Amino acid sequence: PGMAQKCVPIVLVPTTAGTGAEVTPNAIVAVPEKELKVGIVNEHMIADYVILDARMIKNLPRKIAAATGVDALAHCIECFTSNKANPFSDLYALEGLDLILNNIEKACDDPEAMAEKNRMQIAAYYGGLAITASGTTAVHALSYPLGGKYHIAHGVSNAILLAPVMRFNSEHPAVKERLAAAYDRCCHEEKTCATVEEKSAWMIARLEQIVRAMERGDVPLEQSLKLFEEGTKLMKQCSGLLDKAEQKVQQLTAGADGTPVETPFTTEGE
């Protein structure tokens, strides 16, 4: 990456409202043979110009709109609650979070909701700015291995992890205070929560509500997790059986001294 140079101006036009890649120096690359995803960071990948046009996502399939929207949501709330958060990242993370919490459902459900879709694009852009200035936390750290090994869509793996990780992190007083501040900014309905505990709990419940709304028409997350766990167990069982089979083959093809022979099988006529 250190050898890369920008040779021409870059104009990026995002076709989802999610990754925020149009404003970050980051790229994620899948390495299938190693079952992982790795990041490439280079300032030359930062765009010179960005065009946010809601018409580009007007006919985006709901499943993709939902997954990428949750990705943007994770960017904003992770950056806002990160221990690397700072006034600059807070500015964009909190504004992006406000836009997403109050627009994501209609933007995904209504193809004609162009104003909401535009706000989601702006929010995703703000999430990318927040990443550049702060950084994501455990949701994304745990999400990448899921995507690399099991090929789960990035936004879906974020959705699986978002509320549980935020609930765990909220046990720290500083995170709880941050979630309460997010409630004060993002809750546009009648504010019924008074304490920090109530406000942080409301925020986590709102995250769960959004994830459940986004999964409509897809396999419920609980069922997805169950299938994921069952699949993992099956893979481990298969791996164990293959190991035993390999050991058995080695035993059957071993020479008199117990060491494997180079050509254990002979073809007919030899």
Side-chain angles (χ1 to χ4, degrees):
M3 298 176 64
Q5 298 293 326
K6 185 183 292 186
C7 299
V8 295
I10 300 176
V11 180
L12 296 184
V13 185
T15 55
T16 67
T19 69
E22 67 272 13
V23 72
T24 73
N26 309 328
I28 304 299
V29 180
V31 186
E33 61 272 20
K34 294 185 177 181
E35 297 184 326
L36 54 78
K37 291 182 177 181
V38 297
I40 298 175
V41 182
N42 190 297
E43 63 181 12
H44 295 297
M45 291 194 289
I46 297 177
D48 296 288
Y49 306 95
V50 174
I51 299 174
L52 302 178
D53 186 349
R55 291 173 296 181
M56 299 300 296
I57 63 172
K58 182 178 185 297
N59 297 314
L60 195 66
R62 186 185 186 279
K63 185 174 182 178
I64 297 176
T68 54
V70 172
D71 187 26
L73 172 59
H75 292 163
C76 291
I77 198 162
E78 285 183 84
C79 289
F80 188 65
T81 56
S82 168
N83 59 10
K84 295 182 181 179
N86 55 78
F88 186 81
S89 64
D90 287 351
L91 177 69
Y92 291 102
L94 197 55
E95 176 65 17
L97 185 59
D98 189 3
L99 289 171
I100 293 169
L101 290 180
N102 292 289
N103 289 280
I104 186 171
E105 286 130 327
K106 188 170 182 180
C108 289
D109 291 340
D110 185 357
E112 301 301 325
M114 300 305 290
E116 286 78 8
K117 293 179 188 295
N118 181 246
R119 292 182 194 121
M120 283 297 298
Q121 282 194 316
I122 294 171
Y125 177 88
Y126 287 166
L129 285 170
I131 290 173
T132 304
S134 172
T136 54
T137 58
V139 176
H140 271 70
L142 295 169
S143 176
Y144 287 129
L146 286 180
K149 187 170 181 62
Y150 300 106
H151 308 291
I152 299 173
H154 180 60
V156 174
S157 56
N158 283 340
I160 292 171
L161 294 161
L162 184 56
V165 169
M166 284 297 122
R167 182 175 290 106
F168 177 84
N169 287 352
S170 69
E171 295 178 8
H172 193 289
V175 175
K176 191 169 289 186
E177 290 280 354
R178 283 257 150 178
L179 291 173
Y183 167 87
D184 290 335
R185 170 64 179 274
C186 303
C187 177
H188 294 183
E189 60 191 44
E190 182 182 358
K191 290 183 168 64
T192 58
C193 300
T195 67
V196 169
E197 287 74 14
E198 290 173 345
K199 292 177 180 180
S200 63
W202 185 95
M203 279 298 300
I204 294 171
R206 179 69 179 122
L207 296 178
E208 290 178 322
Q209 182 184 28
I210 287 174
V211 168
R212 293 185 186 283
M214 293 301 97
E215 73 182 14
R216 180 175 58 77
D218 296 323
V219 178
L221 284 180
E222 290 88 348
Q223 188 175 346
S224 297
L225 284 171
K226 185 178 180 181
L227 292 171
F228 170 74
E229 291 171 357
E230 291 175 352
T232 301
K233 290 178 182 177
L234 183 59
M235 288 181 67
K236 289 180 178 178
Q237 291 173 0
C238 291
S239 178
L241 291 172
L242 287 172
D243 288 341
K244 291 180 180 178
E246 183 179 2
Q247 293 172 6
K248 189 64 176 178
V249 170
Q250 289 176 351
Q251 292 172 2
L252 292 172
T253 59
D257 59 354
T259 59
V261 295
E262 292 185 4
T263 55
F265 302 106
T266 58
T267 57
E268 189 174 327
E270 285 187 340

